[in-house]
Amino acid sequence: MPEVEQAPKLDQALAEVAAEMAERTDRGDVATYIPQLGKVDPKKFGIAAVTNDGRTLVAGDADQAFSIQSISKVFTLTLALGNVGDALWKRVGREPSGNPFNSIVQLEHENGIPRNPFINAGAIVISDILLAGHQPREAIGEILRFIQFLADDETIIIDREVAASERATGYRNFALANYMKSFGNLHHAPELALGVYFHHCAIAMSCRQLAMAGRFLANGGKNPATGHSVVSAERARRIGAMMLTCGHYDGSGDFAFRVGIPGKSGVGGGILGIVPGVASLAVWSPGLNANGNSKLGSIALEKLARMMNWSIFAP
Amino acid sequence: MPEVEQAPKLDQALAEVAAEMAERTDRGDVATYIPQLGKVDPKKFGIAAVTNDGRTLVAGDADQAFSIQSISKVFTLTLALGNVGDALWKRVGREPSGNPFNSIVQLEHENGIPRNPFINAGAIVISDILLAGHQPREAIGEILRFIQFLADDETIIIDREVAASERATGYRNFALANYMKSFGNLHHAPELALGVYFHHCAIAMSCRQLAMAGRFLANGGKNPATGHSVVSAERARRIGAMMLTCGHYDGSGDFAFRVGIPGKSGVGGGILGIVPGVASLAVWSPGLNANGNSKLGSIALEKLARMMNWSIFAP
Amino acid sequence: MPEVEQAPKLDQALAEVAAEMAERTDRGDVATYIPQLGKVDPKKFGIAAVTNDGRTLVAGDADQAFSIQSISKVFTLTLALGNVGDALWKRVGREPSGNPFNSIVQLEHENGIPRNPFINAGAIVISDILLAGHQPREAIGEILRFIQFLADDETIIIDREVAASERATGYRNFALANYMKSFGNLHHAPELALGVYFHHCAIAMSCRQLAMAGRFLANGGKNPATGHSVVSAERARRIGAMMLTCGHYDGSGDFAFRVGIPGKSGVGGGILGIVPGVASLAVWSPGLNANGNSKLGSIALEKLARMMNWSIFAP
Amino acid sequence: MPEVEQAPKLDQALAEVAAEMAERTDRGDVATYIPQLGKVDPKKFGIAAVTNDGRTLVAGDADQAFSIQSISKVFTLTLALGNVGDALWKRVGREPSGNPFNSIVQLEHENGIPRNPFINAGAIVISDILLAGHQPREAIGEILRFIQFLADDETIIIDREVAASERATGYRNFALANYMKSFGNLHHAPELALGVYFHHCAIAMSCRQLAMAGRFLANGGKNPATGHSVVSAERARRIGAMMLTCGHYDGSGDFAFRVGIPGKSGVGGGILGIVPGVASLAVWSPGLNANGNSKLGSIALEKLARMMNWSIFAP
């Protein structure tokens, strides 16, 4: 395979990727275990890039909001690290799990300490941390306002129907929360931590909004538009490392292998991708692959990263 | 924490790191399950960097050979990919294992397909692939010559005593090999694949030699001195991705989080690190941490990467 | 060891065993994970036997009520088999678990079907079955009345404080119930099935009452006093077989090996033992061994069975 | 179902069972993982009973030898207990495994101590114990002579082709042996312990011979013909208990539930059954059920036990 000599312009690349994805027929299956998510049109595809030098480029359905689901875990982790610092790592590990996203087996073998903050169990602990000193409603509000702040967009909302749908059917998550509680690794009642969890997963954003919200991770922890620091440069690097090793559940190794940039997926079909020093990306296609990650979203990012020579493993 | 504004010169950084490591008293424990490895002086510390622009810089015991052990898996993977291409991935996965390096549990649950080529089971399958059409002696010779070629150094040898020591005590590896054979995922007799495996793990190299051998991975697949291609740029990126997600056993996430560069460790206390576009690194300190990775080696690379702003997750 | 030639009289044997147990100092630890149970005096010891020929013999604290906990699972299983017959076995297995009583790992690997009705997960499914067409209050009442009927004693009650204590701290059981619900193996809301479960575990009985309640199992399914059939002879045998293979959690094999009679233990320190054709036994000593079974209770039954030549494995 | 009032005569019962089994068409699948076993005619069926009062009754192919496979583990356990006594239980547990007969997962979680002597791993440890002070050939000879002695039949032999077939394909057993060796729970080289193991599994016996060999277990440890003691009465009971809880791999609970007598199955399609105080039974039908136990053999024993009212759980 000939290696890229010169990367194309980003707007051309996005358009080309979007056009190719529009023709794909094998788009994966839309998640149905949260009934509300099963209603989404599988033919949707959107992509957006916000560059460190201030450009916002989009293609496809980039302005339609979708349920960001687990992508929200990047933002709750960031917020929780701000609140409690590295003490957080006493309650959550930072290793890939080697198991499906909703596995409970690992918790039994490791005394209720989830392997990382991006599997469900880990994110529920993060929600529990964000509850400290708050009512669930306040903690949820804090998370939403943080994401609105990062995206510079106060129109972002929580889809209450999705949150209710998750609560009504989320027995596996209730099991995880109660199980960790039995080890003392939740400080609040399981239903309170889950209340926070279900609501932040139900935040609805467009690709454009999501790429905006991820800017600080592509820019050493600072909002490139204002220069204001969200997190330290070291913390931004570390969150990126965790996205790379754990951001795609039990398909994280494959995503790193194929795409080569830090990313975080959600079962709503979205993926947030970070190209350090260059751009924050968001892609959305509702159909999922066998590991529960957006099928076309993964392929689109693989193509884009190759066209633009964006792999962090490239010279 | 103040972020680095200007990276120091590399030779200064290496000297500073080596000096600091020399003063450390908590150096971890030398591996003793291979009796021959237990004889090594735990006070040794060496570090070497070979830059893409042709410099070789060293500090400490950088010219003393040590047993590279699992670091050799980077080179056998490279060789096997050259032999059979991506068909290799039908027999080995590419996900982090979420288990210790010598775990057999995962194999039972996943039908004898090891999770990645860097855990023992995966590397034994790679050895089996390298046996195709060969006697063990020939396959071992091919591996050694490949590493000599990469390092441009024909003095590199296999330590036969270490190989014999591993064979005499490597019951866990015999178990893994026989177990995979029972699933049909070895094509040769287990003892033949293990013969290759034990010998490539017993290759002895100095930090200088090891950093030389890793040059192609830091330089897009090409030897920076000659410009000759070892692997394609894409394959070099992918091997780097696999090192990052799987290179430190069940401490891979932590290494990515702290150090932020692709690396591969061995129980002999060595680590090979790759800074894409910049340099190939090797560090050696025999004492190990709880995950079986060089304790001071990890700390040294963390310091060096921070000083030089080398994290691949940095802008 | 000389084999018994002539068994002593049962009343002498009970007295001898009780006297010996009174002198024991290593009595195990009282369960504390249900706070209410931790308040019991560890020096208590009671034993009772009700023979098929109509005698009731007791020694020690045989008339003091204790929390029967998991022993109640014998009675709920009997009741549920009466309600739904062998269809029950589609939702619960009948194999020993090979895991601690509250393990969740097995459920993940076997799709939410618990291994047997005597581990917690299995008993929660049984509670769910008993809920069919009922309010929890009614189902709890039905269980209590069934046990009162078996023991011919309407004074048996549920200890509401124990039930409340279990509900307040039973996160592991909430996890199990929600986990099975996620597989569709609970038909009612987890908290309803658990409401039934926590209450039947909190039934308080004395050794005398418990031995009375077990009579039908020692007598081919019939109440020996009245001749009325509770279950068929085949079902009585089968419940006995299940007690032998699964009645002592992950110590069932050891209990069969040492004692050799069907038994069911509870973390309150009670054990119900069945000698087919001969007698129903109950023993109580609050301190537990490593497997969560009554330490002195097991030893007492081992001695008694040996003295009376009661092993079902004896000629 | 009407309960038996009067048991039929045993010879009639055997004939009736054999006749019914002859008409069955769904006979299960013959084991093929040992190639030599796959050659057996699936239509074979034999049954034999040797009563404590000295009668030998047979039906069907009761005089045709078959590979006893895991049934031999009853005899090697007996022999090893004779050699080392209860010290044996430091190296082997006595709990049901909750896993398939050749599972390796449990060993990793329990430090190389197999759960019981009837799963493969446990029997390999028993073989290792029988090797103490012996060459493999001697240990194998000792086992064979012990079985010949028990059956009072010197014509019993080892099928060397079956032994060779198992050795050539027994990678899973090699894995188990090497795995336990890595934990120090084999004292001899894995291939030596396996040499003993493969040979005792390859002993060929007819139903008549097998029922003869089991007499001591039905008769309190004594040969009923001679009155000579093979093991103590207590040990006979305990071996029976272990057969009941662990004798049919992960179908032991079901066999206890349905049949209700101690039994030990082998993948050759044989089952040894013990009715304490009454008779030793052997049945053979090569086709296996899903748990690896003789399909028709299990059904035949269920019928026979019901007809004769032989369940040890019956009054």
Side-chain angles (χ1 to χ4, degrees), chain B residues 4-211:
Chain B
V4 288
E5 288 296 317
Q6 281 206 306
K9 291 200 171 168
L10 179 51
D11 52 357
Q12 290 172 347
L14 289 173
E16 193 172 315
V17 165
E20 186 176 335
M21 293 304 119
E23 292 183 11
R24 290 265 182 163
T25 53
D26 183 4
R27 306 177 80 87
D29 295 319
V30 175
T32 54
Y33 73 95
I34 303 171
Q36 206 64 16
L37 294 185
K39 301 177 181 171
V40 176
D41 179 359
K43 298 222 177 110
K44 295 291 180 180
F45 179 87
I47 191 164
V50 176
T51 63
N52 281 6
D53 58 16
R55 292 172 294 149
T56 299
L57 303 165
V58 302
D61 304 303
D63 284 305
Q64 178 169 341
F66 58 90
S67 191
I68 66 168
Q69 293 292 318
S70 291
I71 303 170
S72 60
K73 296 170 184 174
V74 174
F75 306 117
T76 56
L77 171 64
T78 303
L79 202 53
L81 281 168
N83 288 1
V84 300
D86 285 335
L88 181 148
W89 303 115
K90 292 178 187 162
R91 293 175 60 189
V92 189
R94 44 189 190 233
E95 292 300 327
S97 77
N99 279 302
F101 66 96
N102 57 6
S103 174
I104 204 162
V105 167
Q106 172 263 325
L107 288 176
E108 178 155 329
H109 292 151
E110 299 183 315
N111 298 313
I113 306 293
R115 286 224 126 206
N116 67 64
F118 292 160
I119 55 173
N120 291 16
I124 293 167
V125 171
I126 300 294
S127 287
D128 187 68
I129 290 171
L130 293 175
L131 262 176
H134 291 296
Q135 294 298 317
R137 175 185 298 268
E138 296 167 356
I140 295 165
E142 186 189 6
I143 296 167
L144 181 61
R145 284 190 302 275
F146 180 59
I147 291 176
Q148 290 173 336
F149 163 76
L150 291 175
D152 195 15
D153 188 334
E154 295 191 356
T155 69
I156 295 167
I157 59 161
I158 293 171
D159 185 328
R160 303 278 163 182
E161 284 188 30
V162 169
S165 186
E166 288 206 53
R167 175 183 282 279
T169 61
Y171 299 110
R172 191 73 77 107
N173 288 320
F174 274 94
L176 292 168
N178 276 284
Y179 201 66
M180 293 189 291
K181 182 71 177 176
S182 78
F183 284 101
N185 199 20
L186 286 190
H187 297 177
H188 303 82
E191 58 269 27
L192 298 186
L194 288 168
V196 175
Y197 176 78
F198 289 138
H199 278 83
H200 74 65
C201 285
I203 290 172
M205 296 173 78
S206 67
C207 288
R208 184 191 299 268
Q209 290 167 327
L210 190 54

Side-chain angles (χ1 to χ4, degrees), chain A residues 6-309:
Chain A
Q6 282 206 303
K9 292 201 170 166
L10 179 52
D11 53 355
Q12 290 172 347
L14 289 173
E16 193 173 313
V17 165
E20 186 177 335
M21 294 303 119
E23 292 183 11
R24 290 267 181 159
T25 53
D26 183 3
R27 306 178 78 87
D29 294 319
V30 176
T32 55
Y33 72 94
I34 303 171
Q36 206 65 15
L37 294 185
K39 301 176 181 172
V40 176
D41 178 0
K43 297 219 178 112
K44 295 291 181 179
F45 179 87
I47 191 163
V50 177
T51 62
N52 282 6
D53 58 16
R55 292 172 295 148
T56 299
L57 303 165
V58 302
D61 304 304
D63 285 305
Q64 180 170 341
F66 58 90
S67 191
I68 66 167
Q69 293 292 318
S70 292
I71 302 171
S72 61
K73 297 170 183 173
V74 174
F75 305 117
T76 58
L77 171 64
T78 303
L79 203 52
L81 281 169
N83 288 0
V84 301
D86 286 334
L88 181 148
W89 304 115
K90 293 177 188 164
R91 293 175 60 188
V92 189
R94 44 193 190 230
E95 292 301 326
S97 77
N99 280 301
F101 66 97
N102 58 6
S103 174
I104 204 162
V105 167
Q106 172 264 324
L107 289 177
E108 178 156 328
H109 292 151
E110 299 182 315
N111 299 314
I113 306 294
R115 287 224 126 208
N116 66 64
F118 292 159
I119 54 174
N120 291 16
I124 293 166
V125 171
I126 300 294
S127 287
D128 188 67
I129 289 171
L130 293 175
L131 263 175
H134 291 297
Q135 294 299 314
R137 176 185 297 267
E138 296 167 355
I140 295 164
E142 187 190 6
I143 296 166
L144 180 61
R145 284 190 302 276
F146 180 58
I147 291 175
Q148 290 173 335
F149 163 75
L150 292 175
D152 194 15
D153 188 335
E154 294 190 358
T155 71
I156 295 166
I157 59 162
I158 293 172
D159 185 329
R160 303 279 163 182
E161 284 189 29
V162 168
S165 187
E166 288 205 52
R167 174 182 282 281
T169 60
Y171 299 109
R172 191 72 77 106
N173 288 319
F174 274 95
L176 292 169
N178 277 283
Y179 201 65
M180 293 189 291
K181 181 72 177 175
S182 78
F183 284 101
N185 199 20
L186 286 190
H187 297 176
H188 303 82
E191 56 270 27
L192 298 186
L194 288 168
V196 175
Y197 176 78
F198 290 139
H199 279 84
H200 74 65
C201 285
I203 290 172
M205 296 173 79
S206 67
C207 287
R208 182 191 301 267
Q209 290 167 328
L210 190 54
M212 286 288 282
R215 289 173 298 173
F216 73 102
L217 289 171
N219 191 48
K222 291 180 183 163
N223 179 328
T226 65
H228 289 142
S229 182
V230 178
V231 297
S232 72
E234 180 179 69
R235 184 159 287 164
R237 292 198 300 270
R238 290 179 159 194
I239 294 171
M242 184 149 294
M243 293 171 75
L244 194 93
T245 55
C246 311
H248 283 73
Y249 308 121
D250 207 20
S252 298
D254 193 61
F255 189 85
F257 186 87
R258 291 183 181 281
V259 184
I261 65 170
K264 181 73 203 81
S265 73
V267 292
I271 303 175
L272 172 66
I274 301 300
V275 189
V278 179
S280 166
L281 311 170
V283 63
W284 173 51
S285 174
L288 305 182
N289 62 22
N291 282 314
N293 301 309
S294 174
K295 180 164 185 163
L296 293 199
S298 303
I299 294 171
L301 287 180
E302 183 180 0
K303 288 194 167 289
L304 187 66
R306 187 182 289 154
M307 291 166 80
M308 302 302 295
N309 197 25

Side-chain angles (χ1 to χ4, degrees), chain C residues 264-280:
Chain C
K264 181 72 204 81
S265 72
V267 292
I271 304 176
L272 172 66
I274 301 299
V275 188
V278 179
S280 166

